[in-house]
Amino acid sequence: MFYRENGQFKTSYRADQQIFAIAQDRWAILALIAFAFIGVPFLVDEYMYRAILIPFLILALAAIGVNILVGYCGQISLGSGAFMAVGAYAAYNTYIRIDGMPLIVALLSGGFFATLVGMFFGIPSLRVKGLYLAVATLAAQFFCDWAFLRVGWFTNNTSSGSVSVSNLQVLGWTINTPVEKYLFCLGFLVVFALLAKNLVRSAIGREWMAIRDMDVAAAVIGIRPMYAKLSAFAVSSFIIGVAGGLWGFVHLGSWEPAAFSIDRSFQLLFMVIIGGMGSIMGSFFGAAFIVVLPIFLNQVLPVIGHMLGMEISTAFVSHAEFMIFGALIVWFLIVEPHGLAKLWSIGKQKLRLWPFPH
Amino acid sequence: MGFFIEAFLGGLMAGMLYSLVALGFVLIYKASGVFNFAQGAMVLFAALAMARFSEWIPAWLGLENKFLGNLIAFVLAGAVMFVLAWLIERLVLRHLVNQEGVTLLMATLGITYFLDGLGQTIFGSDIYQIDVGMPKDPLFLFENTFDGGVLVNLEDVYAACIAALLVAVLSLFFQKTSTGRALRAVADDHQAAQSIGIPLNRIWVIVWFVAGLTALVAGVIWGSKLGVQFSLTTVALRALPVIILGGLTSVPGAIIGGLIIGVGEKLSEVYLGPYVGGGIEIWFAYMVALVFLLFRPQGLFGEKIIDRV
């Protein structure tokens, strides 16, 4: 009744091609962004920032990157954690080795080096696809794990193997408190989400999707597979690299290679599957889901156990987490292969027709 | 020279175990087109079941005989793997018929996580021992030819023999029995096999069960060497380059690939490792596979991939 496009006439192509075609959507999103920037800092306590909001923002950014590669271009990748690591360590090295390096430029340079590494490991995608490629990207994961652990140059020869950054500043604005960190990440996320959304709607995004749907047919109609695949690898690993830099610099502060292990790669892939493959919106849903679920289980399972008169150990909670993740992935693949984002769009579709479903 | 041969033999032995795990991958891929990422989780699950059963059963039945206890535990663990295969077919694969390979791959990722959690919930997450009575004494060969001789672990020799036996039995099963013929038919073409009356669902259960059995054997050998613990799942990650090298659909490929990777890992670690800081064996295998993919995407013995629109 209140959510439909009746009466909203488009008189230019520009208006016709907006991201959110329905005015209510546009206002809702703008309101949401405004709320995230202005409202949230008044409402939330420090724990929420550290445990939920900041990880959510950064992982959502990384999930967008993974979604571009896996969801839009169909190149399954198990090496996303490695690209995050490359972003983090490259940003660290440019930050400490070059005097007066601005923070944002350092983070972007992390993305740049992640792009190079991502494209290098994307080269096998020109020859192999699907299952073989998944293994090829694992090579990136193991190589990076090893390199950042063993090669002293990357960590500036710290004896402990972990690196740390402090005193983050952007144009005189010191990023210190959780609120400031949150706003900094939020800014990055909004900009990159908008860029990514526009990229996947453009010609290059359509090329990726053509390659995903059937690469031979795409090649026949004149799409260059090499260009499309490598550009997907490049864009995706740039975004993942920046997310990795944020994860190290802003969220962790000091980190070691284990922060970007293969578990991180799987986690990112699950975000994309559960959130929705081939959907920018889905990346947000997936990240929110995967960040919140473990915290939720940690709170709820002991309570349920208590009600049933059992003592739930932390070990059991972590095992249950594994099982629930596994079952959810299978369940989503069977019941709703397009993930939470699809449920969201079905909901919107129904709302458009409501209350007359014809 | 003696040292080289020692490293070489050690690599061959390790490679034999990789082959066993890789064999599980290949079997499932051949018969259903599913790239089974859960093979490592199955190895862990089977090994955990075996370790705990061999501990519990003598206690329950008051058995003194260790061989009998181990045998019953092995059979029970096999039964568990059968139930697992049946459940996977019933709950997962049946609903994903005709989906793309990538979807199925991700479904097996889900199974991996589920099995990791389930196995540790049921069987506990400590380090367990499997003691099937394999001799642990080292053996020295060619003591006259080389200085100090060549050290060979007798345990490894037994493991290699068991693995070879398993491979022989499996190839007989595939070549000579009617079930094996049905499996090969399904591998060739699902629909054609179905149309001549081969029950697809039953074939899948059988194939996953066979993969579960190879996982069990691999788990028992590995577990009795190094103990059963969570890190066993990484064995699967080390078997992945093996199948890439050997080709996804080839049983001999899995074996030869395993041997190449095993030897390559050991030699690279011994001769190359010291110059770059060590610990390179895990990615070295992947790099070998990666470089190899660029020249021969289908692997050593894989079938040529032909794309049609």
Side-chain angles (χ1 to χ4, degrees):
Chain A
M1 208 122 92
F2 52 85
Y3 178 78
R4 58 180 45 164
E5 63 266 58
N6 290 11
Q8 299 174 11
F9 299 109
K10 311 273 173 20
T11 49
S12 64
Y13 284 117
R14 213 184 139 75
D16 201 34
Q17 290 182 340
Q18 295 173 93
I19 296 177
F20 298 104
I22 304 176
Q24 285 91 329
D25 265 350
R26 267 194 314 278
W27 292 117
I29 291 292
L30 280 179
L32 188 67
I33 294 174
F35 175 73
F37 272 109
I38 301 162
V40 170
F42 290 105
L43 292 174
V44 181
D45 61 349
E46 197 161 313
Y47 170 77
M48 273 286 272
Y49 284 120
R50 286 187 194 283
I52 298 179
L53 285 176
I54 295 175
F56 160 70
L57 292 176
I58 301 174
L59 290 178
L61 183 58
I64 289 175
V66 179
N67 217 333
I68 284 179
L69 188 61
V70 181
Y72 282 98
C73 196
Q75 310 294 309
I76 188 160
S77 162
L78 299 175
S80 336
F83 302 145
M84 273 182 94
V86 172
Y89 280 97
Y92 170 76
N93 276 306
T94 45
Y95 193 62
I96 60 155
R97 279 171 205 280
I98 301 172
D99 260 349
M101 186 69 162
L103 176 62
I104 291 182
V105 179
L107 288 173
L108 293 181
S109 83
F112 171 73
F113 285 107
T115 306
L116 294 184
V117 176
M119 282 172 77
F120 175 74
F121 282 102
I123 292 173
S125 74
L126 309 176
R127 292 280 283 169
V128 298
K129 55 191 172 194
L131 318 167
Y132 283 97
L133 186 64
V135 179
T137 52
L138 273 178
Q141 181 69 50
F142 288 123
F143 182 73
C144 291
D145 277 359
W146 173 85
F148 293 127
L149 197 64
R150 304 281 176 140
V151 181
W153 191 84
F154 289 122
T155 55
N156 204 14
N157 294 312
T158 50
S159 51
S160 61
S162 74
V163 298
S164 62
V165 286
S166 54
N167 191 23
L168 302 176
Q169 274 190 332
V170 180
L171 303 173
W173 175 44
T174 316
I175 302 167
N176 231 342
T177 62
V179 186
E180 288 162 336
K181 288 179 176 177
Y182 164 80
L183 290 175
F184 185 66
C185 294
L186 185 64
F188 261 97
L189 180 63
V190 169
V191 171
F192 273 98
L194 191 66
L195 288 178
K197 181 71 193 174
N198 276 324
L199 206 56
V200 296
R201 302 192 310 149
S202 68
I204 190 163
R206 284 195 300 277
E207 285 188 7
W208 292 341
M209 286 186 266
I211 290 283
R212 169 194 68 189
D213 290 339
M214 189 162 213
D215 52 352
V216 185
V220 168
I221 60 169
I223 290 167
R224 290 164 294 171
M226 183 169 119
Y227 177 74
K229 284 178 181 174
L230 282 188
S231 63
F233 265 98
V235 171
S236 145
S237 25
F238 182 79
I239 297 177
I240 298 173
V242 170
L246 285 174
W247 188 259
F249 276 53
V250 179
H251 179 53
L252 299 176
S254 72
W255 71 94
E256 49 192 18
F260 304 104
S261 67
I262 188 164
D263 290 325
R264 180 77 56 215
S265 302
F266 285 142
Q267 199 186 25
L268 288 172
L269 189 64
F270 294 159
M271 281 179 199
V272 171
I273 298 173
I274 290 177
M277 293 220 274
S279 154
I280 297 292
M281 187 67 118
S283 312
F284 289 88
F285 289 135
F289 192 84
I290 292 213
V291 169
V292 171
L293 185 69
I295 296 173
F296 175 77
L297 288 178
N298 267 311
Q299 304 285 334
V300 166
L301 279 182
V303 176
I304 294 175
H306 202 70
M307 283 197 301
L308 299 174
M310 288 186 298
E311 207 57 50
I312 303 276
S313 64
T314 45
F316 176 76
V317 173
S318 75
H319 297 157
E321 208 179 288
F322 268 98
M323 282 158 67
I324 290 172
F325 269 138
L328 270 177
I329 288 155
V330 172
W331 188 78
F332 265 105
L333 285 171
I334 293 171
V335 178
E336 188 49 84
H338 296 288
L340 291 169
K342 185 69 179 179
L343 294 179
W344 174 251
S345 73
I346 290 174
K348 280 208 307 193
Q349 202 57 40
K350 290 228 191 286
L351 201 59
R352 257 180 180 178
L353 302 174
W354 182 81
F356 309 111
H358 300 291
Chain B
M1 190 62 197
F3 181 66
F4 173 80
I5 293 183
E6 211 172 285
F8 189 83
L9 281 179
L12 279 186
M13 298 304 170
M16 208 65 212
L17 286 175
Y18 294 149
S19 302
L20 263 186
V21 181
L23 204 60
F25 277 105
V26 170
L27 287 179
I28 289 185
Y29 190 80
K30 250 173 99 79
S32 55
V34 179
F35 188 91
N36 178 25
F37 211 88
Q39 189 68 27
M42 280 164 74
V43 172
L44 173 69
F45 193 82
L48 271 178
M50 174 74 192
R52 295 319 296 275
F53 283 149
S54 66
E55 195 176 310
W56 290 338
I57 283 166
W60 288 339
L61 303 178
L63 273 177
E64 291 294 319
N65 190 337
K66 206 164 90 186
F67 175 75
L68 201 63
N70 271 327
L71 190 71
I72 297 175
F74 187 84
V75 171
L76 263 186
V80 168
M81 293 320 280
F82 179 75
V83 172
L84 194 69
W86 185 75
L87 281 177
I88 287 175
E89 196 280 324
R90 191 89 203 175
L91 297 177
V92 182
L93 293 177
R94 179 169 293 194
H95 304 284
L96 290 171
V97 180
N98 279 336
Q99 295 280 354
E100 282 171 56
V102 175
T103 311
L104 290 163
L105 166 70
M106 289 192 281
T108 62
L109 263 177
I111 296 174
T112 309
Y113 264 57
F114 189 81
L115 278 185
D116 283 349
L118 184 71
Q120 293 185 74
T121 307
I122 299 176
F123 300 115
S125 45
D126 294 328
I127 302 175
Y128 302 104
Q129 286 301 320
I130 296 180
D131 185 10
V132 286
M134 282 205 285
K136 300 216 183 257
D137 324 316
L139 198 69
F140 288 94
L141 298 175
F142 307 116
E143 267 175 295
N144 307 329
T145 333
F146 306 117
D147 198 24
V150 175
L151 183 136
V152 177
N153 244 331
L154 210 54
E155 203 180 6
D156 286 337
V157 178
Y158 273 83
C161 292
I162 295 172
L165 188 73
L166 186 75
V167 170
V169 170
L170 279 179
S171 20
L172 273 182
F173 171 70
F174 269 87
Q175 298 298 331
K176 300 289 177 198
T177 63
S178 62
T179 314
R181 226 170 14 245
L183 284 174
R184 278 181 289 143
V186 172
D188 259 4
D189 190 336
H190 284 188
Q191 277 185 343
Q194 238 176 342
S195 68
I196 55 164
I198 293 173
L200 206 52
N201 294 332
R202 199 192 304 162
I203 294 295
W204 276 346
V205 175
I206 291 174
V207 128
W208 277 75
F209 174 54
V210 172
L213 275 188
T214 57
L216 179 57
V217 174
V220 168
I221 294 175
W222 206 285
S224 67
K225 246 178 100 162
L226 303 165
V228 180
Q229 55 181 320
F230 186 69
S231 64
L232 201 59
T233 43
T234 55
V235 171
L237 293 176
R238 308 185 91 171
L240 285 179
V242 171
I243 36 179
I244 292 301
L245 199 64
L248 269 177
T249 48
S250 158
V251 170
I255 294 159
I256 293 171
L259 296 180
I260 293 176
I261 292 285
V263 170
E265 263 186 19
K266 272 279 177 309
L267 293 184
S268 69
E269 183 65 52
V270 169
Y271 289 101
L272 217 60
Y275 297 106
V276 288
I280 64 167
E281 45 184 332
I282 184 130
W283 63 262
F284 187 81
Y286 275 92
M287 285 297 169
V288 170
L290 199 62
V291 171
F292 196 77
L293 276 182
L294 289 176
F295 297 104
R296 208 178 144 81
Q298 71 270 32
L300 272 176
F301 299 93
E303 289 158 28
K304 190 133 183 66
I305 307 161
I306 300 168
D307 283 321
R308 288 195 183 84
V309 176

